[in-house]
Every structure is written in C-alpha cells, then in structure tokens.
C-alpha cells in the first residue's frame, strides 16, 4: 500500500545508542496504545444500541448481551491494567528526564507532557489524551529521523493543506499589520511624522 509507506532508518537508531531503549519503549507503547484504543472502540461500539441491534438481528446468538454479561467487570479490570502500564511508562520517562536534566526543574516533566499525565487518569473523558500520546510518540520518532512518514499519503495531503492554511493565516496577519500602519500614518501620529 503506497499510502502507508513508512521507512524506518535503523542507522539513525544506531547513531543514538543511548536512546535505543527509548525507541523500543516508544514502539511498544504505540503498539499497546493502538491495542487499547481498538479495544476501547470495540467496547464502545458493542455497547451502543445500534450495533447491539444489528448484531441481534443478524446472528442467532445475541453477541452483545454475551459481551455485556461476561466483560462488564473485565472492562474495568483491563482498563486498570492499561492505565497502570501507561502510568509506569510515564514515571520511567520522568525519571529518565530527571537523570538527563532535560528540564530546568525536576517537576516540569508532568506539566510539559500534560497530555500523558491526563491520559493516565482512569476517567472516560480523559481517554482522548491517550490518542494524543500516540501522535506525540510518532512525532518524536519522526523528528529523530528514525521513522520517515514523508512518503505516506496522509503526510503528503496533510502537509499540503497545512501549508495552505499557514499561508492564508500569514496573509491575514500581514494585511492586518499593514492596515494598522496605514491607520497610524493617516492619523498623524508623531512617530509617523518623524518617519515621513
């Protein structure tokens, strides 16, 4: 699939020998987060009335009621396991940041990585922050030039539309600045008189 062409440069990884275990941790967390998000999506879909109705209509056994009966308490248990793993990974990264003096003070890490911190809170409203965690890990690997996403369809289209958006916003800013300068020049400001 051309739209999913992802290049991994193991030579760049070898050059950063002290960060090899961070790469392995990043890849492991991305895989774990995708498993968690897929499981959460499946759980959400099965619990909706529309999907439960479709399953009940098209199968002889009501899978939705089976799923509900046997996994209701397991859902909380499995969510707790995933949150524990995410929290342990956050603490390991925080300790590594303290060891490497990454930030000015030791307590800055949870504030800089606020999406990771909020994603570790086991509340349904904060599950979205786990998606942001996946995006941040993938972006970090791309920035280290270990993974190259520039040949993917999503990156090329996203880059194209992002450039258009940035150009439009910068045009608006320039127009507003020039209109402000024009207004200042027309009002007869003492600074404008000195410039003229």
């Amino acid at each position: 699939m051309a739209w999913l062409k992802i290049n991994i440069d193991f030579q760049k990884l070898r050059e950063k020998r002290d960060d090899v275990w961070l790469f392995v941790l990043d890849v492991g967390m991305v895989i774990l987060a995708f498993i968690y998000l897929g499981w959460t999506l499946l759980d959400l879909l099965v619990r909706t009335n529309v999907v439960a109705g479709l399953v009940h209509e098209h199968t002889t056994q009501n899978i939705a009621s089976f799923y509900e009966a046997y996994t209701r308490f397991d859902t909380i248990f499995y969510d707790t396991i995933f949150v524990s793993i995410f929290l342990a990974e956050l603490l390991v990264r925080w300790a590594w940041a303290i060891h490497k003096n990454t930030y000015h003070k030791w307590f800055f890490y949870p504030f800089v990585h606020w999406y990771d911190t909020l994603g570790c809170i086991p509340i349904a409203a904060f599950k979205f922050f786990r998606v942001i965690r996946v995006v941040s890990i993938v972006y970090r690997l791309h920035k280290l030039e270990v993974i190259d996403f520039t040949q993917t369809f999503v990156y090329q289209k996203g880059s194209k539309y992002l450039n258009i958006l940035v150009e439009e916003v910068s045009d608006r800013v320039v127009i507003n600045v020039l209109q402000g300068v024009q207004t200042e020049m027309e009002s007869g400001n003492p600074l404008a008189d000195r410039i003229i």
Side-chain angles (χ1 to χ4, degrees), residues 5 23 35 51 62 68 100 124 131 139 149-150 156-157 160 172 177:
K5 185 179 180 185
F23 171 76
I35 291 170
V51 174
N62 190 350
E68 182 72 28
K100 287 288 193 175
V131 175
Y139 175 74
F149 285 102
T150 57
Q156 290 175 350
K157 290 298 179 186
K160 174 184 171 184
R172 299 289 178 209
V177 168

Side-chain angles (χ1 to χ4, degrees), residues 94 97-99 101-112:
W94 190 2
I98 291 170
H99 172 71
N101 290 326
T102 306
Y103 301 106
H104 182 64
K105 296 286 184 182
W106 66 271
F107 54 84
F108 282 3
Y109 186 86
F111 296 107
V112 172

